[in-house]
Amino acid sequence: MTLAVRFHDQHEAETRASFRDAVIAGLSAEPKSLSPKFFYDRRGSQLFERICRQPEYYLTRTEEHILAEAAAEIAAIVGPESLLVELGSGASRKVRLLLEAVRPSRYLGVDISRDFLLESTRRLAADYPWLEVHAVWADFSQRLSLPEGVESRRAVAFFPGSSIGNFEPPAARAFLADLRRVLPGGSGVLIGVDLIKDRAVLEAAYNDAAGVTAEFNLNLLERLRHELGAEVDVAGFRHLAFYHEAASRIEMHLVSQREQVIRLGEQQFPLASGEMLHTENSCKYSVEGFQALARQAGYVPTAVWTDTRRMFSVHYLSSA
């Protein structure tokens, strides 16, 4: 019989007030910026799933191919009856490539988009009746804790999609170190990491011809309008994504098309024509560079899998 999803609310920080405070801080800064975690309301999550299906967006299909090919090897490393914690679970599509091989005793999906999280974990519970399914509504970029009732002698954190790239390297190192302290001793991290490659390939992935990434980026301003009552002309901005080679990262921005003002209550934030609002970084690594960062965070790089073109990598990191 299918178990109901056990829901845990750890989303104390993501109230409307704190969203507003973060937006005000970001728009007051120089240069102006907004955190990419705010992309993921319900519509943003749906748009991201569409991005993953665009022909230019190699990341998803390449990672899924790697996971399908390596599932048996991953299962041998992880071992049975573990706790599988998926960070940024989204539609939980990639984890399905692992579940039958790994056979964890419990699955814990963590995501910032509550509705999307509940939909995906309910589908998992229905499709895998042998699996105990938990859902944690949380901002995993903040300090995460395992809820009561999911304790395990051994756990593996699954962090796909190269989402680690949204952190600058020092923050990525700190995030991984914090995660190591959350998980039981002897646990590990299975993590997808995008690799440095040709500029044209990278920039095409974040500037798809169908304009879905642009819509995703602009939806951040729609959130400000609908949730915070901000006065902002969404049509007055355009999407911009480019590869910053010296920093080995894709940068995403919203560019003001004219002089204008964003109003939020009594606060006013003027923007010059051409001024950029920074919305996301996506850092790229070499295999060796990411392994060095993992060691600095206290892990032992145990295994790495890549596709034949070395476009993308999946690493297993063991707690030291």
Side-chain angles (χ1 to χ4, degrees), residues 6-320:
R6 291 106 188 261
F7 180 73
H8 310 271
D9 184 355
Q10 292 185 3
H11 209 247
E12 297 172 359
E14 184 50 22
T15 63
R16 180 170 296 185
S18 66
F19 178 30
R20 181 188 178 92
D21 290 345
V23 167
I24 289 171
L27 293 178
S28 300
E30 291 296 339
K32 294 178 175 62
S33 66
L34 293 172
S35 170
K37 72 183 180 182
F38 297 128
F39 282 135
Y40 298 98
D41 63 347
R42 183 184 181 85
R43 182 166 181 263
S45 296
Q46 291 169 340
L47 285 168
F48 184 71
E49 290 302 309
R50 285 178 56 198
I51 288 172
C52 293
R53 297 193 294 271
Q54 298 309 304
E56 301 93 339
Y57 198 78
Y58 61 87
L59 292 87
T60 299
R61 63 177 177 270
T62 307
E63 185 176 31
E64 287 178 350
H65 175 76
I66 293 169
L67 290 170
E69 291 286 312
E73 294 177 55
I74 292 168
I77 295 171
V78 173
E81 298 298 308
S82 59
L83 166 65
L84 179 56
V85 181
E86 185 175 15
L87 303 174
S89 53
S92 296
R93 185 172 61 242
K94 292 171 186 173
V95 77
R96 291 170 179 267
L97 299 169
L98 301 174
L99 286 175
E100 290 292 351
V102 174
R103 300 291 293 195
S105 60
R106 295 184 178 95
Y107 167 84
L108 180 66
V110 184
D111 205 277
I112 198 170
S113 179
R114 183 182 186 276
D115 292 343
F116 217 62
L117 171 69
L118 286 173
E119 289 171 9
S120 62
T121 50
R122 283 167 180 162
R123 286 194 297 268
L124 276 183
D127 294 343
Y128 299 90
W130 51 266
L131 182 64
E132 184 179 309
V133 176
H134 294 254
V136 176
W137 183 29
D139 174 7
F140 64 78
S141 68
Q142 305 299 316
R143 186 176 292 272
L144 184 71
S145 61
L146 296 181
E148 292 184 13
V150 297
E151 294 82 3
S152 176
R153 290 188 301 104
R154 180 174 173 81
V156 58
F158 179 43
F159 195 22
S162 201
S163 296
I164 192 67
N166 294 149
F167 299 90
E168 287 297 288
R173 186 166 53 246
F175 172 79
L176 290 172
D178 282 344
L179 185 59
R180 184 171 57 86
R181 287 188 281 269
V182 168
L183 299 175
S187 298
V189 178
L190 182 68
I191 185 168
V193 180
D194 197 18
L195 299 178
I196 297 169
K197 59 184 68 65
D198 182 74
R199 172 190 292 271
V201 175
L202 285 166
E203 292 188 345
Y206 294 83
N207 292 283
D208 58 276
V212 183
T213 307
E215 192 176 354
F216 174 72
N217 201 7
L218 288 162
N219 184 61
L220 191 49
L221 299 179
E222 295 286 4
R223 277 200 75 184
L224 269 59
R225 290 179 63 240
H226 296 150
E227 296 183 35
L228 301 180
E231 295 179 35
V232 52
D233 178 15
V234 177
F237 290 83
R238 66 176 175 87
H239 163 75
L240 175 68
F242 60 88
Y243 183 53
H244 188 313
E245 191 164 0
S248 298
R249 72 187 184 210
I250 285 283
E251 292 187 11
M252 286 211 323
H253 298 262
L254 292 167
V255 184
S256 179
Q257 297 292 81
R258 55 178 173 78
E259 288 189 11
Q260 58 181 310
V261 176
I262 296 176
R263 293 180 175 84
L264 185 53
E266 297 181 357
Q267 302 267 5
Q268 297 190 20
F269 306 97
L271 291 99
S273 178
E275 185 172 353
M276 297 194 297
L277 175 58
H278 193 172
T279 55
E280 184 180 54
N281 288 328
S282 184
C283 297
K284 313 302 176 183
Y285 290 89
S286 66
V287 167
E288 297 76 16
F290 183 76
Q291 288 178 331
L293 184 146
R295 289 189 184 96
Q296 293 165 3
Y299 293 90
V300 176
T302 302
V304 60
W305 301 270
T306 66
D307 58 294
T308 56
R309 297 173 61 195
R310 290 182 72 85
M311 299 275 282
F312 198 92
S313 60
V314 175
H315 299 250
Y316 189 86
L317 311 174
S318 300
S319 296

